[in-house]
Amino acid sequence: MTASAKSVDIYTDGACSGNPGPGGWAAILIYRGHEKEIFGAEPETTNNRMELLAAIRALECLKEPCCVNLYSDSSYLVDAFLKKWVHKWMRNGWRLSNNKDMAKNADLWQALMGLAQVHDIRFIKVAGHSDNINNNRCDKLATAAIEKQTKQQIEAD
């Protein structure tokens, strides 16, 4: 990564109503005082998938390689990188250490690893539902996305 790479802060969150159930994800991208909110939902998913999807969708918004501080309240996401679990899964063909079971959400981990090869990402754990304003904003956006998804599904039925 070059010294001139843009530095971007990204806050992410995923939510699920039931696990599995309707789920939502959200991210806030911050660059030089400019903010962009993104969010979405899926009708049947898990909280962990939504946490990963929030990070993926945010990183996909970046138009060039960046230095990223990615803030998440998801131990699943942050620990997988900080404790290098995802690197072991990748080396094992996306299998767990028992070499029999597939790592859960391997499709999303693969997408995230591809983005991690483009960007210099520092994963930072924040306390969920706490005093982090941007994490709380993401939580509200993800929850609102679930509500919108559920309402649309009810109207379609």
Side-chain angles (χ1 to χ4, degrees):
M1 194 75 44
T2 66
S4 63
K6 294 177 180 174
S7 180
V8 179
D9 289 332
I10 296 176
Y11 291 82
T12 65
D13 198 24
C16 212
S17 180
N19 202 20
W25 59 267
I28 301 169
L29 295 87
I30 304 170
Y31 173 70
R32 290 189 176 177
H34 299 283
E35 295 184 3
K36 178 177 183 172
E37 294 178 346
I38 61 170
F39 51 89
E42 292 191 4
E44 186 70 17
T45 189
T46 65
N47 188 60
N48 284 339
R49 286 189 70 79
M50 294 296 91
E51 296 284 1
L52 296 174
L53 198 55
I56 291 166
R57 294 295 179 249
L59 292 166
E60 287 175 341
C61 287
L62 303 176
K63 295 180 171 98
E64 60 190 74
C66 294
C67 293
V68 177
N69 291 317
L70 194 146
Y71 299 87
S72 174
D73 63 6
S74 170
S75 295
Y76 179 66
L77 169 61
V78 174
D79 286 351
F81 281 92
L82 295 184
K83 296 180 179 182
K84 306 206 184 298
W85 299 336
V86 71
H87 300 284
K88 290 178 188 172
W89 300 333
M90 191 169 67
R91 278 195 311 273
N92 289 344
W94 300 102
R95 297 192 179 282
L96 300 178
S97 57
N98 68 15
N99 218 13
K100 291 188 296 187
D101 299 325
M102 288 297 291
K104 289 183 179 174
N105 305 311
D107 59 327
L108 297 179
W109 287 118
Q110 289 171 356
L112 196 48
M113 287 299 288
L115 291 162
Q117 292 174 1
V118 174
H119 306 287
D120 180 12
I121 307 169
R122 192 174 91 177
F123 291 88
I124 303 162
K125 177 80 167 71
V126 297
H129 310 284
S130 173
D131 60 352
N132 187 299
I133 293 168
N134 288 322
N135 181 258
N136 290 337
R137 281 174 58 198
C138 283
D139 181 62
K140 287 180 180 165
L141 289 168
T143 302
I146 294 171
E147 291 169 5
K148 183 178 177 183
Q149 167 76 31
T150 303
K151 183 179 177 188
Q152 288 174 344
Q153 196 167 353
I154 289 170
E155 290 173 354
D157 289 343

